[in-house]
Structures are given as C-alpha cells and as structure tokens.
Amino acid sequence: MSDGAGRWWSWALISWAVLASGLEGQVPSASNYLLSPDERARLEADLADVEARLAEVQALEFEMREAATLRPGNVGPDHVRRDVGPVEIRGPRHLLPAAAGAATHALGQFRGLSDADGALTALRIDIHDAGEVESLAPPYAGGSGTAVLVATAEDVRALVDHAVRRHVLEAIPQPLVPWSGGWGWDSAFRPDDGVRLMVQSTNRDGIACLQRRDLEACAGYLALSYDGSTESKLALLEYHYPASAFLPPTPVSETPRTDDLLGRCVFEQRRRGTPDARGTCLADLASREYATLGLLPSHPSARASLVAHALQLGGDGALTRLMRRPDGGSVGAHLAVVAGTSEAELVRSWQEDVSGRTGVFRSEGGERPGPASLFWAGGLALLALRSTRWRLG
Amino acid sequence: MGIQMLKLHWRAARWPMLPVLVAAFGLPLMAGSAAWGATYSVDHLSASGAVAVTDGAAVFGLTFAIVAAIAGSILGISAWSWDHRQDHVYALSLPVPRWKYSALKFGGGTILVGATTALFALGATTSSLLANLPAGLRAYPGALSLHFLIATQTAFALLFALASGTMRTATIVLGCVMGLAIFGVPLLDFLGNFWSPLGDFDLVRFAYATLVENDGPLSIFAGNWMLFDV
C-alpha cells in the first residue's frame, strides 16, 4: 500500500471514531427506554432514602451494641472479679492481675490514706478487652462510683490508675483539689518544682515569705483563705490585683498577651468605656473557678507542696480524717485538719521546711547518684577485666 | 609497672583530653557567671535574677553530662590504643595474667577519671564561692562532682570493656549499635507489613527505657545536673 492510501485510511478511521463517540450520548440506550424520567427520579429518591435508613439502622445497631457491652455492671462471660480495698474490679482474666496491681499501687501512693475501706466509697471498675469490643468510644471512666474501661494489656495499668486516683480525689472535700491542681496528695508528687517556681516568683508576698519569713505573706501567697465561694475569689483577686496597679502611669498594656486574662478583659472594657473596668473584670473572673485560680500568683505546685507537707505532718490516717469532713471552709482550715494542728502552725512549719529543705522538701539539686549507678560502673569494670570471654574475633 | 602504664595511658590520651579538661574546669565557671557579683533585695524583686541563674544552670547542666561522656570515652578507648597498634604482642610477652594487666590499665584510667573530676570539682567550687545566689537557691558543687565522677567512670568502663577486645569486636558491636540506631525503626516498620507485632514495637522507647530509665546503665547521664538549684 502506498503512503498516500495509508494516510487516507488513517484519516477515515479517526474521523469515524470521532463521529461515533459524539453520537453515542445522543442515541438513547436500551435502559432509558424502560423508565420514564419521572419513574427514574422516584427510584433515585427511594434509593437515597433506603441508604439513609440503612445508615440510621447501622448507627442504632452500633449504639445498642456499644451500650449493651459497655454499660456499667455488664460483664462478659469470661470476666472474673477481684477486690482491692474498696475497689471492685471485674474484667477478663488476662487483664485482671495488671489491673489489680495498678489499683493497689494507686491506693498505696496516697499519703495518709491508711484506712481506705472506711473512708472511700466503693468503686466498681468494669474492664473490657479492647480487642473484643466493637467500639469507637475512647477508654471511658463513668460516673461516681463506677468506671468502665476499654483497655489493652499495655494501657490497662494507666487506665485503672487514673480511675482510682480520680475516685480518691472526688472523695476529698472541696475546694482543696482544684486549689492544689489535684497535686500533692500522692507520693509521686515532687515539691521541688513548687519551690523552684516560688523562688522565681515575682510576687511581693512570695518573696517576702521566702526571704523575710513573713508568715502572713506566705498565707497570702498561697491563698489560704480560698473557700470556693465567689466572695472569697473576689477578695483574693482584689488583694492580688489592687486598683493602684491599674492606675496611670501603669495602664494595662496596649497589646495584652492572649494568656493575660485580666489584662485583656480590662483592655476590652476600657475600650468600651466601662467606668470601672478593673472591678467589672474581677467580678466576671471571680465567677469562674479556673480563671480565679489561674490568676493567683502562686503556681498550683507551690500550693500542692503545702498539701504534701500537711499530709506528712498529719501522718497515718490524715487523708482519711479529711475525707470524713464535709465540704466548705477555707483551704487553710481544711489542711490544718489534715495536719492535725492550727493553720498558723501549719504555715510556720511549712515555711521552715521550705527554707531548710527538710521534710517533703528534700532538695532535688543535691541528689546523690543512686546505688544502681554505682552498680553499673562496677559491673562494666568487671566486664572489662573479663573481656576476653566475649571476643567476637 | 602501674605507674608506667598510667604514663603510657596519659601519653595516648593527652591531646584529645586537653579541650575536655579545659571544658571540665571552664563550664562550671560559665554556669555560675550570671550570679557573680549579682545583688538582690526584697523590695527590688530578686526573682528575675533567680530565673537567670536557674536557667543558666539548666542549660550548662546538659553540657556537664556531655563532657563526662566524652571524657570517659576518650580515656576508655585510649587505654588500649597502644596494644592495638602493636597487636598485643607486648602485653602477651609480659609475665602477668591478662586480668592483672587489664586491672592495671583500668586503675590507671580511673586515676585519670579522678583527675578530670578534680578539675571539674575545682571549677564548680570556685563558681559556687563566687556566686551570690538569690534566696531559695543553693549551690551543689559536691553532689554535682560526685555525679560527674560516676558518669565519667561509667562511660570509661563501658568504652574500656569495648576497646579491650579486638578492633573487630569493637567494630561489630559499634556497627550493630549504629545500625540499629539508623535502620532499626524503618526495618521494623517494613517487617511489620509481614508480622504486625514487629511493626508495633517501639524500638526507640524500648532502648530509652532499658538504657536510661529504670536505673539502666546510662541513667546517670539523665537526672538533675544543675549546679545551682532549689
């Protein structure tokens, strides 16, 4: 075939292909003859409706299955029970030893909790193996007195520990726990951080407490008069943020930091022309517990160091005694009960311990290397003397 | 013989050790320089001074651990450099058992570790004496020097044990460690495609927990290395 004829055939084939593809969409297919446009629309609507219903049914089924499985008190066929003090644990046999160990450890960490059976209400923990439960729910701690956990062998200890700690902290009369940031109650707490922050504090009371040993300044710095009421919050904020600090020539910064709650609030109120911007803001912030506690000059870990000190002073059963006390009263009065002494005496002894690094304030800075370090240094030396035994070549 | 071996060890280690010794003396001085001649008063809020001192101590604390590791490693490796150079012929010709020969070398190295620590302690003590610390802060030259001694000795013993074998031994062991450090995680990820538990295994976390946490052999290099603290 000549080149001219070949080119002609090529053009013919391409033209046919282009025309055929252009006509295909215009020629009704066989299926379109079976349905009218109305019928087709109705069917499509029905299909969409069925899909939506199917999704609803599946969601409902999922919720029912999850509720049936994870409801407190619902236990699987292979679940066994183990009691640790006031904590009743039910769960798969293979997860129970770790869970019981974690509960024992968590209860043992609380200082002064010597009579857990008498002081704590019962806690029931139901554990489900994460590998066997069809759930998208996160590991879940339930309401007061119950906890339902979806755990693996790796995280069961941490989850049980969290549930037990939360249960103990819930039993402590308010407002001690939010005031201390939830710290200081167990032996895992290191007061050194609190002291370090206290040393670095720019608050006048904090410095006077540490350097002049002014006990009233200590009480002010630690906000011992806090009792959780709006009045006490407002009084503390009025004390730590006096009106003189907001008068010219020290006005609130033109660009307060985002974490400067009070500064931003006063800035906003002044911009709106509110006559008493500071008073309005203090009243507003005093209605919120975490805002108030966040504005106090002392860091929660410094306040928690007083908790740890009080528990050490109170000795055996200190926390148990506190739990039997009703809510209310200032934190100073509560901690005095824990320590078994007066509030003034508690602050004095705390100040002495902070200054002398005694009691719970054993300094981290002077920490000596532990015996394990000496063991490794010696062990490696012995290995070096016997090194020919492990030559590879 | 011990003295001769100590001299030999020092001759092998002196040049690489020179900058380390300067750092061991100088870094504690630099850590405390922020507090030299500082004045504080209750009315003038000394807290900013405390922040500067503790921040400086924390930053320089990291370098102390590094200096201890480097000093111990240099002393450990250099203890056997002459033996490796002469294929252990001299050591084998001596009428002493291997363990005694190693013990003499180790003792000499320990003396050099002690000398390095003494220099560090001198710097830390001088720095502490010169520092005017704000209320609530204290200096810990003694405790820190003890920390430095144990850390340097641990690094020395580890590298001494490693270097006391043949070069091939050291190369294989160090090669395995480096190989695991570089290729361990990608390799486990790859193998996890065939057997999922391998993919879930956190090698870095495991290594850290084994070596550093839970009183592991390198735990001395973690912890608090601050010359000035509460």
Short mmCIF file of all heavy atoms in Angstrom, two decimals, chain A residues 216-277:
data_model
loop_
_atom_site.label_atom_id
_atom_site.label_comp_id
_atom_site.label_asym_id
_atom_site.label_seq_id
_atom_site.Cartn_x
_atom_site.Cartn_y
_atom_site.Cartn_z
N GLU A 216 2.42 35.83 107.30
CA GLU A 216 1.19 36.38 106.72
C GLU A 216 1.32 36.46 105.20
O GLU A 216 0.36 36.21 104.46
CB GLU A 216 0.92 37.78 107.30
CG GLU A 216 0.18 37.72 108.61
CD GLU A 216 -0.27 39.11 109.06
OE1 GLU A 216 -0.56 39.94 108.20
OE2 GLU A 216 -0.30 39.32 110.28
N ALA A 217 2.52 36.83 104.77
CA ALA A 217 2.76 36.88 103.32
C ALA A 217 2.66 35.48 102.72
O ALA A 217 2.14 35.31 101.61
CB ALA A 217 4.13 37.48 103.03
N CYS A 218 3.12 34.49 103.47
CA CYS A 218 3.01 33.09 102.99
C CYS A 218 1.54 32.72 102.79
O CYS A 218 1.18 32.13 101.76
CB CYS A 218 3.63 32.12 103.99
SG CYS A 218 5.41 32.28 104.18
N ALA A 219 0.71 33.07 103.79
CA ALA A 219 -0.72 32.73 103.70
C ALA A 219 -1.36 33.44 102.52
O ALA A 219 -2.20 32.87 101.81
CB ALA A 219 -1.41 33.10 105.01
N GLY A 220 -0.95 34.70 102.30
CA GLY A 220 -1.49 35.46 101.18
C GLY A 220 -1.03 34.88 99.85
O GLY A 220 -1.81 34.73 98.91
N TYR A 221 0.24 34.51 99.80
CA TYR A 221 0.80 33.96 98.57
C TYR A 221 0.12 32.65 98.21
O TYR A 221 -0.20 32.38 97.05
CB TYR A 221 2.30 33.76 98.76
CG TYR A 221 3.00 33.11 97.59
CD1 TYR A 221 3.14 33.78 96.39
CD2 TYR A 221 3.52 31.83 97.70
CE1 TYR A 221 3.78 33.19 95.31
CE2 TYR A 221 4.16 31.23 96.64
CZ TYR A 221 4.29 31.91 95.44
OH TYR A 221 4.92 31.32 94.38
N LEU A 222 -0.13 31.82 99.22
CA LEU A 222 -0.72 30.51 98.96
C LEU A 222 -2.25 30.56 98.86
O LEU A 222 -2.88 29.54 98.58
CB LEU A 222 -0.33 29.53 100.08
CG LEU A 222 1.15 29.19 100.14
CD1 LEU A 222 1.46 28.41 101.42
CD2 LEU A 222 1.57 28.37 98.94
N ALA A 223 -2.83 31.74 99.11
CA ALA A 223 -4.30 31.92 99.04
C ALA A 223 -5.01 30.95 99.97
O ALA A 223 -5.93 30.24 99.56
CB ALA A 223 -4.78 31.76 97.60
N LEU A 224 -4.61 30.95 101.23
CA LEU A 224 -5.20 30.00 102.18
C LEU A 224 -6.65 30.35 102.54
O LEU A 224 -7.36 29.51 103.09
CB LEU A 224 -4.36 29.95 103.46
CG LEU A 224 -2.98 29.31 103.32
CD1 LEU A 224 -2.32 29.15 104.67
CD2 LEU A 224 -3.09 27.94 102.65
N SER A 225 -7.06 31.59 102.25
CA SER A 225 -8.44 31.98 102.60
C SER A 225 -9.44 31.50 101.55
O SER A 225 -10.64 31.66 101.73
CB SER A 225 -8.53 33.50 102.73
OG SER A 225 -8.18 34.09 101.50
N TYR A 226 -8.96 30.89 100.50
CA TYR A 226 -9.84 30.44 99.41
C TYR A 226 -10.79 29.35 99.91
O TYR A 226 -10.35 28.36 100.51
CB TYR A 226 -8.97 29.90 98.27
CG TYR A 226 -9.74 29.45 97.07
CD1 TYR A 226 -10.33 30.39 96.22
CD2 TYR A 226 -9.89 28.11 96.77
CE1 TYR A 226 -11.03 29.99 95.11
CE2 TYR A 226 -10.58 27.70 95.65
CZ TYR A 226 -11.16 28.64 94.83
OH TYR A 226 -11.87 28.24 93.73
N ASP A 227 -12.08 29.57 99.68
CA ASP A 227 -13.04 28.53 100.10
C ASP A 227 -13.98 28.13 98.97
O ASP A 227 -14.97 27.42 99.19
CB ASP A 227 -13.82 28.98 101.34
CG ASP A 227 -14.70 30.19 101.06
OD1 ASP A 227 -14.82 30.59 99.87
OD2 ASP A 227 -15.28 30.75 102.01
N GLY A 228 -13.70 28.58 97.79
CA GLY A 228 -14.52 28.19 96.64
C GLY A 228 -15.68 29.11 96.38
O GLY A 228 -16.29 29.05 95.31
N SER A 229 -16.02 29.98 97.35
CA SER A 229 -17.17 30.87 97.13
C SER A 229 -16.75 32.05 96.25
O SER A 229 -15.56 32.40 96.19
CB SER A 229 -17.68 31.40 98.47
OG SER A 229 -16.72 32.27 99.04
N THR A 230 -17.74 32.65 95.60
CA THR A 230 -17.44 33.79 94.73
C THR A 230 -16.86 34.94 95.54
O THR A 230 -15.97 35.66 95.07
CB THR A 230 -18.73 34.25 94.02
OG1 THR A 230 -19.30 33.11 93.37
CG2 THR A 230 -18.46 35.32 92.99
N GLU A 231 -17.34 35.09 96.79
CA GLU A 231 -16.85 36.19 97.64
C GLU A 231 -15.35 36.02 97.91
O GLU A 231 -14.59 36.98 97.83
CB GLU A 231 -17.61 36.23 98.98
CG GLU A 231 -19.06 36.64 98.89
CD GLU A 231 -19.93 35.53 98.34
OE1 GLU A 231 -19.57 34.34 98.49
OE2 GLU A 231 -20.96 35.84 97.71
N SER A 232 -14.96 34.79 98.25
CA SER A 232 -13.53 34.58 98.57
C SER A 232 -12.68 34.74 97.31
O SER A 232 -11.56 35.25 97.37
CB SER A 232 -13.30 33.22 99.22
OG SER A 232 -13.24 32.21 98.26
N LYS A 233 -13.22 34.35 96.17
CA LYS A 233 -12.46 34.53 94.92
C LYS A 233 -12.27 36.02 94.64
O LYS A 233 -11.16 36.46 94.30
CB LYS A 233 -13.22 33.88 93.75
CG LYS A 233 -13.23 32.38 93.77
CD LYS A 233 -14.12 31.87 92.65
CE LYS A 233 -14.49 30.42 92.88
NZ LYS A 233 -15.66 30.01 92.10
N LEU A 234 -13.36 36.76 94.80
CA LEU A 234 -13.28 38.20 94.53
C LEU A 234 -12.31 38.87 95.51
O LEU A 234 -11.51 39.74 95.11
CB LEU A 234 -14.68 38.82 94.63
CG LEU A 234 -14.85 40.21 94.06
CD1 LEU A 234 -14.41 40.28 92.61
CD2 LEU A 234 -16.30 40.67 94.18
N ALA A 235 -12.38 38.46 96.77
CA ALA A 235 -11.49 39.06 97.78
C ALA A 235 -10.03 38.79 97.43
O ALA A 235 -9.18 39.68 97.56
CB ALA A 235 -11.84 38.50 99.16
N LEU A 236 -9.74 37.56 96.99
CA LEU A 236 -8.36 37.22 96.64
C LEU A 236 -7.88 38.02 95.43
O LEU A 236 -6.76 38.52 95.39
CB LEU A 236 -8.24 35.72 96.33
CG LEU A 236 -8.12 34.82 97.54
CD1 LEU A 236 -8.31 33.36 97.14
CD2 LEU A 236 -6.74 34.99 98.18
N LEU A 237 -8.77 38.14 94.43
CA LEU A 237 -8.39 38.89 93.23
C LEU A 237 -8.20 40.37 93.57
O LEU A 237 -7.28 41.02 93.06
CB LEU A 237 -9.44 38.70 92.14
CG LEU A 237 -9.54 37.30 91.54
CD1 LEU A 237 -10.60 37.25 90.44
CD2 LEU A 237 -8.20 36.85 90.97
N GLU A 238 -9.08 40.90 94.43
CA GLU A 238 -8.94 42.30 94.85
C GLU A 238 -7.60 42.50 95.57
O GLU A 238 -6.95 43.53 95.41
CB GLU A 238 -10.08 42.69 95.81
CG GLU A 238 -11.44 42.78 95.17
CD GLU A 238 -11.69 44.14 94.54
OE1 GLU A 238 -10.77 44.97 94.54
OE2 GLU A 238 -12.81 44.34 94.01
N TYR A 239 -7.21 41.50 96.36
CA TYR A 239 -5.96 41.60 97.14
C TYR A 239 -4.74 41.56 96.21
O TYR A 239 -3.80 42.34 96.37
CB TYR A 239 -5.91 40.46 98.15
CG TYR A 239 -4.60 40.36 98.90
CD1 TYR A 239 -4.27 41.26 99.91
CD2 TYR A 239 -3.69 39.35 98.60
CE1 TYR A 239 -3.07 41.17 100.60
CE2 TYR A 239 -2.48 39.25 99.28
CZ TYR A 239 -2.18 40.16 100.27
OH TYR A 239 -0.98 40.07 100.94
N HIS A 240 -4.76 40.63 95.29
CA HIS A 240 -3.57 40.44 94.44
C HIS A 240 -3.52 41.40 93.25
O HIS A 240 -2.47 41.58 92.64
CB HIS A 240 -3.49 39.01 93.94
CG HIS A 240 -3.11 38.02 95.01
ND1 HIS A 240 -1.88 38.06 95.63
CD2 HIS A 240 -3.80 37.02 95.61
CE1 HIS A 240 -1.82 37.10 96.54
NE2 HIS A 240 -2.97 36.47 96.56
N TYR A 241 -4.65 41.96 92.89
CA TYR A 241 -4.68 42.91 91.77
C TYR A 241 -5.29 44.23 92.25
O TYR A 241 -6.41 44.57 91.89
CB TYR A 241 -5.46 42.33 90.59
CG TYR A 241 -4.82 41.08 90.04
CD1 TYR A 241 -5.18 39.83 90.52
CD2 TYR A 241 -3.81 41.16 89.09
CE1 TYR A 241 -4.56 38.68 90.06
CE2 TYR A 241 -3.19 40.02 88.63
CZ TYR A 241 -3.57 38.78 89.12
OH TYR A 241 -2.96 37.66 88.66
N PRO A 242 -4.57 44.97 93.11
CA PRO A 242 -5.13 46.20 93.69
C PRO A 242 -5.36 47.26 92.61
O PRO A 242 -4.73 47.23 91.55
CB PRO A 242 -4.04 46.65 94.68
CG PRO A 242 -2.79 46.03 94.17
CD PRO A 242 -3.18 44.73 93.54
N ALA A 243 -6.28 48.18 92.95
CA ALA A 243 -6.66 49.22 91.98
C ALA A 243 -5.45 50.05 91.57
O ALA A 243 -5.34 50.49 90.42
CB ALA A 243 -7.73 50.11 92.57
N SER A 244 -4.51 50.22 92.50
CA SER A 244 -3.35 51.08 92.21
C SER A 244 -2.53 50.55 91.03
O SER A 244 -1.91 51.31 90.30
CB SER A 244 -2.46 51.18 93.44
OG SER A 244 -2.05 49.89 93.83
N ALA A 245 -2.57 49.24 90.84
CA ALA A 245 -1.79 48.65 89.75
C ALA A 245 -2.38 49.00 88.38
O ALA A 245 -1.71 48.85 87.36
CB ALA A 245 -1.73 47.15 89.90
N PHE A 246 -3.63 49.45 88.38
CA PHE A 246 -4.30 49.72 87.09
C PHE A 246 -4.45 51.22 86.81
O PHE A 246 -5.07 51.60 85.85
CB PHE A 246 -5.68 49.05 87.07
CG PHE A 246 -5.58 47.56 87.04
CD1 PHE A 246 -5.46 46.84 88.20
CD2 PHE A 246 -5.58 46.90 85.82
CE1 PHE A 246 -5.34 45.47 88.17
CE2 PHE A 246 -5.46 45.53 85.79
CZ PHE A 246 -5.33 44.81 86.97
N LEU A 247 -3.89 52.03 87.72
CA LEU A 247 -4.00 53.47 87.52
C LEU A 247 -2.81 53.97 86.69
O LEU A 247 -1.75 53.36 86.70
CB LEU A 247 -3.99 54.18 88.87
CG LEU A 247 -5.24 53.97 89.74
CD1 LEU A 247 -5.02 54.57 91.11
CD2 LEU A 247 -6.45 54.60 89.06
N PRO A 248 -2.97 55.08 85.98
CA PRO A 248 -1.81 55.66 85.29
C PRO A 248 -0.73 56.01 86.32
O PRO A 248 -1.08 56.34 87.45
CB PRO A 248 -2.37 56.93 84.64
CG PRO A 248 -3.84 56.72 84.62
CD PRO A 248 -4.18 55.84 85.77
N PRO A 249 0.57 55.91 86.09
CA PRO A 249 1.14 55.74 84.76
C PRO A 249 1.42 54.29 84.39
O PRO A 249 2.24 54.03 83.54
CB PRO A 249 2.44 56.52 84.89
CG PRO A 249 2.85 56.31 86.32
CD PRO A 249 1.60 56.19 87.09
N THR A 250 0.77 53.32 85.05
CA THR A 250 0.99 51.92 84.68
C THR A 250 -0.32 51.33 84.15
O THR A 250 -0.92 50.49 84.80
CB THR A 250 1.49 51.10 85.88
OG1 THR A 250 0.55 51.30 86.96
CG2 THR A 250 2.87 51.49 86.29
N PRO A 251 -0.77 51.83 83.02
CA PRO A 251 -2.03 51.28 82.48
C PRO A 251 -1.82 49.88 81.92
O PRO A 251 -0.68 49.46 81.74
CB PRO A 251 -2.36 52.27 81.35
CG PRO A 251 -1.02 52.75 80.90
CD PRO A 251 -0.13 52.75 82.09
N VAL A 252 -2.91 49.23 81.68
CA VAL A 252 -2.83 47.91 81.07
C VAL A 252 -2.19 48.07 79.69
O VAL A 252 -2.43 49.05 78.99
CB VAL A 252 -4.24 47.31 80.93
CG1 VAL A 252 -4.20 46.04 80.10
CG2 VAL A 252 -4.80 47.04 82.30
N SER A 253 -1.37 47.13 79.34
CA SER A 253 -0.64 47.20 78.08
C SER A 253 -1.60 47.35 76.91
O SER A 253 -2.73 46.89 76.93
CB SER A 253 0.19 45.93 77.92
OG SER A 253 0.56 45.77 76.60
N GLU A 254 -1.13 48.02 75.87
CA GLU A 254 -1.96 48.19 74.68
C GLU A 254 -2.22 46.85 74.01
O GLU A 254 -3.24 46.65 73.38
CB GLU A 254 -1.25 49.13 73.71
CG GLU A 254 -1.29 50.59 74.11
CD GLU A 254 -2.69 51.16 74.06
OE1 GLU A 254 -3.39 50.94 73.07
OE2 GLU A 254 -3.10 51.83 75.04
N THR A 255 -1.27 45.95 74.13
CA THR A 255 -1.44 44.64 73.49
C THR A 255 -1.22 43.53 74.54
O THR A 255 -0.16 42.93 74.60
CB THR A 255 -0.43 44.44 72.36
OG1 THR A 255 0.89 44.75 72.88
CG2 THR A 255 -0.72 45.31 71.18
N PRO A 256 -2.20 43.29 75.38
CA PRO A 256 -2.03 42.24 76.41
C PRO A 256 -1.85 40.87 75.76
O PRO A 256 -2.39 40.60 74.68
CB PRO A 256 -3.34 42.28 77.19
CG PRO A 256 -4.04 43.50 76.76
CD PRO A 256 -3.55 43.85 75.41
N ARG A 257 -1.08 40.04 76.42
CA ARG A 257 -0.87 38.68 75.90
C ARG A 257 -2.19 37.93 75.91
O ARG A 257 -3.09 38.23 76.69
CB ARG A 257 0.15 37.93 76.77
CG ARG A 257 1.51 38.56 76.84
CD ARG A 257 2.45 37.60 77.55
NE ARG A 257 1.87 36.96 78.70
CZ ARG A 257 1.95 37.46 79.95
NH1 ARG A 257 2.58 38.58 80.16
NH2 ARG A 257 1.43 36.81 80.95
N THR A 258 -2.27 36.91 75.06
CA THR A 258 -3.54 36.16 74.99
C THR A 258 -3.82 35.42 76.29
O THR A 258 -4.96 35.17 76.63
CB THR A 258 -3.49 35.14 73.83
OG1 THR A 258 -2.25 34.45 73.89
CG2 THR A 258 -3.67 35.80 72.50
N ASP A 259 -2.73 35.05 77.03
CA ASP A 259 -2.97 34.32 78.28
C ASP A 259 -3.17 35.27 79.46
O ASP A 259 -3.37 34.83 80.57
CB ASP A 259 -1.79 33.36 78.56
CG ASP A 259 -0.48 34.10 78.70
OD1 ASP A 259 -0.39 35.22 78.16
OD2 ASP A 259 0.44 33.56 79.34
N ASP A 260 -3.10 36.58 79.21
CA ASP A 260 -3.31 37.55 80.28
C ASP A 260 -4.80 37.86 80.34
O ASP A 260 -5.29 38.84 79.77
CB ASP A 260 -2.48 38.80 79.98
CG ASP A 260 -2.64 39.85 81.06
OD1 ASP A 260 -3.32 39.57 82.06
OD2 ASP A 260 -2.09 40.95 80.90
N LEU A 261 -5.54 36.98 81.05
CA LEU A 261 -7.00 37.09 81.08
C LEU A 261 -7.46 38.45 81.57
O LEU A 261 -8.30 39.10 80.96
CB LEU A 261 -7.56 36.01 82.01
CG LEU A 261 -7.73 34.61 81.47
CD1 LEU A 261 -8.32 33.72 82.54
CD2 LEU A 261 -8.64 34.62 80.26
N LEU A 262 -6.87 38.85 82.70
CA LEU A 262 -7.31 40.10 83.32
C LEU A 262 -6.93 41.29 82.45
O LEU A 262 -7.74 42.20 82.23
CB LEU A 262 -6.66 40.21 84.71
CG LEU A 262 -7.14 41.37 85.58
CD1 LEU A 262 -8.64 41.34 85.76
CD2 LEU A 262 -6.44 41.34 86.93
N GLY A 263 -5.70 41.28 81.95
CA GLY A 263 -5.23 42.39 81.11
C GLY A 263 -6.10 42.57 79.88
O GLY A 263 -6.49 43.69 79.54
N ARG A 264 -6.42 41.48 79.24
CA ARG A 264 -7.23 41.56 78.01
C ARG A 264 -8.64 42.05 78.33
O ARG A 264 -9.22 42.83 77.59
CB ARG A 264 -7.30 40.20 77.33
CG ARG A 264 -6.00 39.81 76.66
CD ARG A 264 -6.17 38.53 75.86
NE ARG A 264 -6.92 38.76 74.64
CZ ARG A 264 -6.38 39.20 73.51
NH1 ARG A 264 -5.09 39.44 73.46
NH2 ARG A 264 -7.10 39.39 72.45
N CYS A 265 -9.17 41.54 79.47
CA CYS A 265 -10.53 41.93 79.85
C CYS A 265 -10.58 43.43 80.14
O CYS A 265 -11.44 44.15 79.64
CB CYS A 265 -10.96 41.13 81.08
SG CYS A 265 -12.56 41.63 81.73
N VAL A 266 -9.60 43.92 80.94
CA VAL A 266 -9.58 45.35 81.29
C VAL A 266 -9.39 46.19 80.02
O VAL A 266 -10.04 47.23 79.83
CB VAL A 266 -8.48 45.63 82.33
CG1 VAL A 266 -8.29 47.13 82.53
CG2 VAL A 266 -8.81 44.96 83.64
N PHE A 267 -8.55 45.71 79.14
CA PHE A 267 -8.30 46.41 77.89
C PHE A 267 -9.60 46.56 77.09
O PHE A 267 -9.94 47.63 76.60
CB PHE A 267 -7.25 45.61 77.09
CG PHE A 267 -6.93 46.18 75.75
CD1 PHE A 267 -6.19 47.35 75.65
CD2 PHE A 267 -7.35 45.55 74.59
CE1 PHE A 267 -5.89 47.89 74.40
CE2 PHE A 267 -7.05 46.08 73.35
CZ PHE A 267 -6.31 47.24 73.26
N GLU A 268 -10.35 45.44 77.02
CA GLU A 268 -11.61 45.44 76.27
C GLU A 268 -12.63 46.38 76.92
O GLU A 268 -13.30 47.16 76.25
CB GLU A 268 -12.19 44.01 76.22
CG GLU A 268 -11.59 43.14 75.13
CD GLU A 268 -11.84 43.70 73.75
OE1 GLU A 268 -12.97 44.14 73.48
OE2 GLU A 268 -10.89 43.73 72.95
N GLN A 269 -12.73 46.28 78.27
CA GLN A 269 -13.72 47.10 78.97
C GLN A 269 -13.40 48.58 78.84
O GLN A 269 -14.30 49.41 78.69
CB GLN A 269 -13.76 46.70 80.46
CG GLN A 269 -14.30 45.29 80.72
CD GLN A 269 -15.74 45.14 80.28
OE1 GLN A 269 -16.52 46.09 80.26
NE2 GLN A 269 -16.12 43.93 79.90
N ARG A 270 -12.11 48.91 78.89
CA ARG A 270 -11.73 50.32 78.75
C ARG A 270 -12.04 50.82 77.35
O ARG A 270 -12.45 51.96 77.16
CB ARG A 270 -10.24 50.48 79.04
CG ARG A 270 -9.96 50.52 80.53
CD ARG A 270 -8.51 50.80 80.81
NE ARG A 270 -8.29 50.91 82.26
CZ ARG A 270 -7.10 50.96 82.82
NH1 ARG A 270 -6.02 50.91 82.08
NH2 ARG A 270 -6.98 51.06 84.12
N ARG A 271 -11.85 49.94 76.39
CA ARG A 271 -12.13 50.34 75.01
C ARG A 271 -13.63 50.61 74.83
O ARG A 271 -14.02 51.48 74.08
CB ARG A 271 -11.68 49.23 74.06
CG ARG A 271 -11.24 49.75 72.71
CD ARG A 271 -10.76 48.67 71.83
NE ARG A 271 -11.78 47.64 71.62
CZ ARG A 271 -11.68 46.65 70.76
NH1 ARG A 271 -10.60 46.55 70.02
NH2 ARG A 271 -12.63 45.76 70.62
N ARG A 272 -14.45 49.83 75.59
CA ARG A 272 -15.90 50.04 75.51
C ARG A 272 -16.35 51.22 76.37
O ARG A 272 -17.52 51.57 76.38
CB ARG A 272 -16.63 48.79 76.01
CG ARG A 272 -16.56 47.64 75.04
CD ARG A 272 -17.29 46.45 75.61
NE ARG A 272 -16.86 45.22 75.00
CZ ARG A 272 -17.13 44.01 75.47
NH1 ARG A 272 -17.83 43.89 76.58
NH2 ARG A 272 -16.70 42.95 74.85
N GLY A 273 -15.45 51.75 77.17
CA GLY A 273 -15.78 52.90 78.01
C GLY A 273 -16.43 52.53 79.32
O GLY A 273 -17.13 53.35 79.93
N THR A 274 -16.28 51.30 79.78
CA THR A 274 -16.85 50.90 81.07
C THR A 274 -16.16 51.69 82.19
O THR A 274 -14.93 51.75 82.22
CB THR A 274 -16.62 49.40 81.30
OG1 THR A 274 -17.08 48.69 80.15
CG2 THR A 274 -17.35 48.89 82.53
N PRO A 275 -16.94 52.30 83.08
CA PRO A 275 -16.33 53.16 84.10
C PRO A 275 -15.33 52.42 85.00
O PRO A 275 -14.22 52.87 85.20
CB PRO A 275 -17.52 53.67 84.91
CG PRO A 275 -18.72 53.40 84.09
CD PRO A 275 -18.41 52.28 83.16
N ASP A 276 -15.75 51.28 85.56
CA ASP A 276 -14.84 50.54 86.45
C ASP A 276 -14.41 49.24 85.75
O ASP A 276 -14.93 48.16 86.05
CB ASP A 276 -15.55 50.26 87.77
CG ASP A 276 -14.66 49.52 88.75
OD1 ASP A 276 -13.42 49.44 88.50
OD2 ASP A 276 -15.17 48.99 89.76
N ALA A 277 -13.52 49.39 84.82
CA ALA A 277 -13.12 48.24 84.01
C ALA A 277 -12.53 47.13 84.88
O ALA A 277 -12.85 45.95 84.72
CB ALA A 277 -12.11 48.67 82.96
#
